[in-house]
Every structure is written in structure tokens, then in C-alpha cells.
């Protein structure tokens, strides 16, 4: 039976018409699914019993299984979502005082193998369907009990989980439309951020079509070093990437691009790199902010995090050049939920589990 979670509104309308139902029901059904978290058609009390029965005979609104649910001491909640074929991805909810961010996955594994990233050690298995992307949000809302419209805890979405979102552009785009629709999950494009390792053609498409916030995993300020730690740089070197960012800025003049920069001791954290970063951003006149990410270690990785003083000094150089530069607070690292630590348990060797944290569910 067709699962309605993740189905676009137009297709739902067509399906309803094929069942001799009024297309406007699509709006009503969406409201029940995405604004009120309905689990069954029986709950849809403003739809006649007869129609509800027809819906239940043809569709489901079923959720994937939650195969693991871990809560960090800092409140960060990492859960493993298991799809029908048994494949799993991780999603992470990060509560803060004034907002709650859900970090979602776009692929099972990743085709790229950036040297500092744990997800990159897991071979790529498949792209997620748009319904599987949306269902991560729906189950997160179930888990944190977030269906009260006047008291929302989940306010922001970041595509910073497993996978490279722009290698799954079509499905990510479909999901973003449902996320951003005010009759859908009602999380606006300005509250949605897509992070990419730097796929130029899709950055341009996103700038034009999706208008979400953009984060670029930069991590190095010259081609030699970037290619060494991120092989994608061979295909899209810095000059091309920066030009794509310029176009993004031009098409989205109110939005800053976030440059993510993981701090690797002795590799990319020297003063000369900070100055090079300033040059790069100034050369292309980018409206950008820089997010320095302390490196999150994982077993088997050759890198170590930069020293605190080095990170502060790096930040100061950027600030002195009038750039906005923040240091990301590490969240959830005790349950391997921090940036770059995600890798589904089904694919992970047991010995690499850092903590034997008890499962909640
Ligand atoms: N594939 C996309 C989306 C993943 S986002 C991308 O690369 O942008 C995950 C973010 O965490 C990226 O910026 C990634 O570069 C960063 N990251 C990866 N490994 C990390 C690690 N070990 N410590 C800190 N950040 C890491
Ligand atoms: Fe893939 Fe992003 Fe990790 Fe690189 S940093 S391996 S693109 S998930």
C-alpha cells in the first residue's frame, strides 16, 4: 500500500481523484499528517467515515522503525531509523534554549571518503527516497512529542547527517518542498540548511530552485591541501567552488553561506591558513560566515583536534579581518552523534563503538 508520508501534494491529489475523491482532501490529509502527526486515518475526524475507510484501504501513514535511541548527557538525541529493506541511517536532534535542530541523513553511507569523516568509512549503499528523508523528521517529532503547533521544539533542519545531499539532489529537493510548505512540515527554507562537500552544479541549482541556506564543507584554503583531505576537490577545485558561491550569494542576497572548517591539528590550523581563508573570502566578495568545528575523533582516524588556543587564535585572525567566525560547540559526542561521527551500527564494527551507552527504546 502506498505510504503518504513524503508524497508530494500534487501526486496525492491525483491519487484521490483516481479514487473518486475530491482533490481538496489532499490539503486536509497533509494537515493531519504534518501539522498534527496523525498515525491513522481514523483520527481524521473532519473527513467522513466512509472516505476514511477508502483511504485506509488504499494508503498508509506508516513510520519506519526506530532501531536505536540514545540520549547524550547534554540532551542531544541520536536515533537510528530502520527502513523496509533493513538499511539504517542516523538522525540527531540537538535541543537548544531558543531552537531545536534536527540533523538528517540523505544517503545510506557516502560515496566520498573525506579523510577526517567517520561516515566516509562506510561504503555507499543507496540514496534515500524523499519519503525516507521526510520520515526522519516525522519520527523525530513523534519521539520528542512535537505535534503541538504552539509549542514547537523542532525549529530547524540541517542536512548534515550521513551522505552527500547533492549526490541525491532530486529526492532531497522533493523532501525540501514538503519541509518548506506551510501546509506541510512548515519549516521554512530559511530554517533549512543543506551542507555539501562542494558539488558545483547542484550548488547552482539549489541557489536557484530551493533557496535553502547553504553550508560548504570547506576545511582547507588551497587546492593542494583540500584535494589531499577531500577528493571531491579534484573535480571541483576551489576557484570553481568559490564562483558557485558567488552565484548563490547573488541569487540569495539576504543569506550568508556558512563555511564549515574542521580544525585538524598541524594540518589546516596554522596562522597562514587563517590568512589564506580571509583572502579567499575577500577575493570572491562572499557574504559568508565561518564555523570552526573542533575535530571529533573516531577510532582509526589519523587526525587529532587542534588545541583550544590554536582554535581561538584562528578565530581571532578571521574576526580581525571583520569576518563572522564562530566555534561550533561539540554536542552528543558521548553517543557518537557529533559531526562526522555518524555511521550506522549495522555497518559498524562493534569495536569502534566508543561508549556502551544504554538504548532508551
Ligand atoms: N556530506 C555533506 C554533509 C555532511 S555534514 C558535507 O560533507 O557537507 C557533516 C559535517 O561535519 C561536514 O561539514 C563534515 O565535513 C563535518 N565533519 C566530518 N567529519 C568530521 C569530524 N570527524 N569532526 C568534525 N566535523 C566533521
Ligand atoms: Fe561524505 Fe560529507 Fe563525510 Fe565527506 S564529509 S565523507 S561528503 S558525509
Amino acid at each position: 500500500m502506498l505510504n503518504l508520508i513524503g508524497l508530494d501534494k500534487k501526486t496525492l491529489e491525483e491519487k484521490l481523484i483516481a479514487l473518486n475523491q475530491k482533490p481538496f482532501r489532499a490539503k486536509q490529509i497533509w494537515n493531519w499528517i504534518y501539522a498534527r502527526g496523525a498515525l491513522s486515518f481514523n483520527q481524521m475526524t473532519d473527513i467522513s467515515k466512509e472516505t476514511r475507510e477508502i483511504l485506509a484501504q488504499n494508503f498508509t501513514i506508516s513510520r519506519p522503525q526506530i532501531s536505536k535511541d540514545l540520549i547524550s548527557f547534554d540532551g542531544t538525541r541520536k536515533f537510528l531509523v530502520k527502513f523496509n529493506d533493513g538499511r539504517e541511517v542516523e538522525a540527531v536532534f540537538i535541543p537548544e534554549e531558543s531552537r531545536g535542530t534536527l540533523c538528517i541523513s540523505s544517503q545510506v553511507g557516502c560515496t566520498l571518503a573525506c579523510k577526517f569523516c567517520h561516515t566516509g568509512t562506510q561504503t555507499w549503499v543507496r540514496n534515500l527516497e524523499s519519503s525516507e528523508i521526510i520520515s526522519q523528521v516525522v519520527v523525530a517529532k513523534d519521539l520528542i512529542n512535537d505535534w503541538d503547533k504552539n509549542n514547537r521544539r523542532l525549529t530547524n533542519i540541517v542536512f548534515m547527517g550521513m551522505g552527500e545531499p547533492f549526490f541525491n539532489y532530486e529526492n532531497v529537493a522533493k523532501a525540501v518542498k514538503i519541509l518548506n510548505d506551510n501546509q506541510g512540515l512548515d519549516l521554512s527554507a530559511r530554517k533549512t540548511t543543506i551542507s555539501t562537500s562542494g558539488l558545483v552544479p547542484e550548488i547552482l541549482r539549489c541557489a536557484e530552485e530551493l533557496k535553502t541556506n547553504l553550508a560548504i564543507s570547506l576545511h582547507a584554503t588551497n587546492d593542494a591541501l583540500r584535494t589531499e583531505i577531500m577528493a571531491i576537490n579534484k573535480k571541483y577545485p576551489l576557484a570553481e567552488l568559490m564562483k558557485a558561491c558567488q552565484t548563490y550569494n547573488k541569487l540569495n542576497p539576504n543569506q550568508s553561506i556558512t563555511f564549515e572548517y574542521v580544525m585538524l591539528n598541524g594540518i589546516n590550523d596554522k596562522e597562514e591558513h587563517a590568512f589564506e581563508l580571509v583572502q579567499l573570502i575577500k577575493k570572491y566578495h562572499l557574504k559568508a560566515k565561518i564555523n570552526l568545528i573542533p575535530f571529533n575523533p573516531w577510532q582509526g582516524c589519523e587526525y587529532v583536534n587542534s588545541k583550544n588556543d590554536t582554535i581561538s587564535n584562528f578565530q581571532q585572525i578571521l574576526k580581525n579581518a571583520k569576518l563572522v567566525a564562530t566555534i561550533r560547540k561539540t554536542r552528543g559526542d558521548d553517543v557518537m552523534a557529533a559531526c562526522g561521527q555518524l555511521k550506522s551500527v549495522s555497518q559498524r564494527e562493534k569495536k569502534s563503538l566508543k561508549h556502551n551507552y544504554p538504548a532508551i527504546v
Side-chain angles (χ1 to χ4, degrees):
M1 262 199 290
L2 182 65
N3 190 353
L4 297 189
I5 293 181
L7 194 74
D8 64 278
K9 215 187 300 157
K10 194 159 170 284
T11 310
L12 177 54
E13 280 170 3
E14 285 163 10
K15 301 274 174 202
L16 290 168
I17 292 168
L19 291 170
N20 284 327
Q21 299 300 315
K22 299 267 186 301
F24 73 79
R25 294 256 177 254
K27 200 171 143 187
Q28 256 174 316
I29 295 169
W30 260 40
N31 184 266
W32 278 103
I33 296 178
Y34 297 124
R36 307 206 222 177
L39 293 161
S40 79
F41 295 103
N42 261 342
Q43 289 171 265
M44 303 182 181
T45 44
D46 53 359
I47 298 176
S48 76
K49 194 154 182 270
E50 199 188 19
T51 305
R52 281 182 346 228
E53 271 164 21
I54 295 172
L55 294 175
Q57 281 157 13
N58 290 278
F59 309 122
T60 66
I61 34 179
S62 59
R63 273 76 165 146
Q65 211 185 314
I66 308 278
S67 46
K68 200 158 240 165
D69 181 4
L70 308 170
I71 302 184
S72 161
F73 72 92
D74 65 12
T76 300
R77 189 161 183 171
K78 174 171 94 163
F79 51 95
L80 209 57
V81 180
K82 192 173 189 168
F83 300 114
N84 287 341
D85 65 350
R87 294 297 181 186
E88 293 169 316
V89 295
E90 287 172 330
V92 182
F93 179 65
I94 307 148
E96 285 172 283
E97 221 147 81
S98 56
R99 63 179 181 179
T101 304
L102 182 70
C103 173
I104 57 177
S105 296
S106 55
Q107 298 183 307
V108 182
C110 188
T111 43
L112 299 175
C114 304
K115 277 199 180 161
F116 44 82
C117 177
H118 198 210
T119 308
T121 64
Q122 179 184 337
T123 46
W124 179 82
V125 177
R126 66 174 178 85
N127 282 339
L128 294 190
E129 298 294 333
S130 59
S131 57
E132 293 171 327
I133 296 171
I134 288 296
S135 66
Q136 294 171 63
V137 184
V138 171
V139 291
K141 286 173 82 75
D142 288 345
L143 278 179
I144 63 167
N145 205 356
D146 194 43
W147 294 111
D148 175 1
K149 224 182 165 173
N150 301 317
N151 183 26
R152 272 201 183 172
R153 298 168 62 212
L154 198 169
T155 56
N156 294 61
I157 297 285
V158 294
F159 281 86
M160 293 189 184
M162 292 159 64
E164 165 50 59
F166 285 161
F167 274 140
N168 185 16
Y169 185 92
E170 299 300 336
N171 291 339
V172 165
K174 270 193 224 162
V176 163
K177 284 186 186 129
I178 297 175
L179 284 174
N180 296 168
D181 193 319
N182 60 10
Q183 288 169 7
L185 283 156
D186 195 21
L187 292 151
S188 72
R190 301 297 293 273
K191 302 262 178 192
T192 307
T193 301
I194 301 182
S195 175
T196 178
S197 55
L199 275 61
V200 166
E202 286 75 16
I203 291 172
L204 300 173
R205 278 189 77 180
C206 172
E208 200 148 325
E209 299 170 356
L210 304 180
K211 314 242 167 237
T212 58
N213 296 320
L214 182 67
I216 304 282
S217 292
L218 188 67
H219 307 320
T221 50
N222 59 68
D223 280 320
L225 182 56
R226 194 160 191 271
T227 302
E228 156 74 21
I229 61 174
M230 299 180 77
I232 190 74
N233 194 70
K234 239 187 263 169
K235 185 148 193 213
Y236 301 114
L238 279 171
E240 269 185 61
L241 179 58
M242 294 297 119
K243 276 187 211 138
C245 289
Q246 263 183 338
T247 307
Y248 176 92
N249 272 166
K250 211 163 133 197
L251 293 172
N252 301 279
N254 298 322
Q255 280 152 276
S256 281
I257 296 170
T258 301
F259 286 107
E260 298 162 280
Y261 197 94
V262 65
M263 299 299 292
L264 305 172
N265 185 36
I267 305 287
N268 66 353
D269 64 350
K270 302 188 180 126
E271 287 191 352
E272 71 208 49
H273 296 126
F275 288 118
E276 214 169 24
L277 182 50
V278 172
Q279 292 280 307
L280 198 61
I281 289 177
K282 300 243 152 136
K283 179 172 170 196
Y284 290 91
H285 308 286
L286 297 176
K287 183 174 160 91
K289 51 189 179 206
I290 298 131
N291 200 355
L292 301 175
I293 314 176
F295 170 68
N296 293 310
W298 42 275
Q299 201 170 17
C301 185
E302 62 187 89
Y303 300 121
V304 288
N305 186 19
S306 305
K307 302 201 168 42
N308 284 344
D309 285 354
T310 311
I311 301 181
S312 315
N313 188 36
F314 200 97
Q315 180 190 32
Q316 200 52 52
I317 293 172
L318 303 176
K319 281 184 160 176
N320 291 348
K322 303 265 179 295
L323 296 178
V324 179
T326 49
I327 300 173
R328 185 178 293 172
K329 216 165 98 199
T330 299
R331 299 283 305 254
D333 58 339
D334 57 329
V335 291
M336 291 290 281
C339 302
Q341 290 185 314
L342 303 184
K343 186 172 176 183
S344 41
V345 168
S346 59
Q347 311 276 322
R348 188 190 294 153
E349 288 172 33
K350 276 224 166 69
K351 64 178 167 38
S352 72
L353 275 171
K354 201 170 133 202
H355 294 268
N356 199 7
Y357 213 81
I360 308 292
V361 164

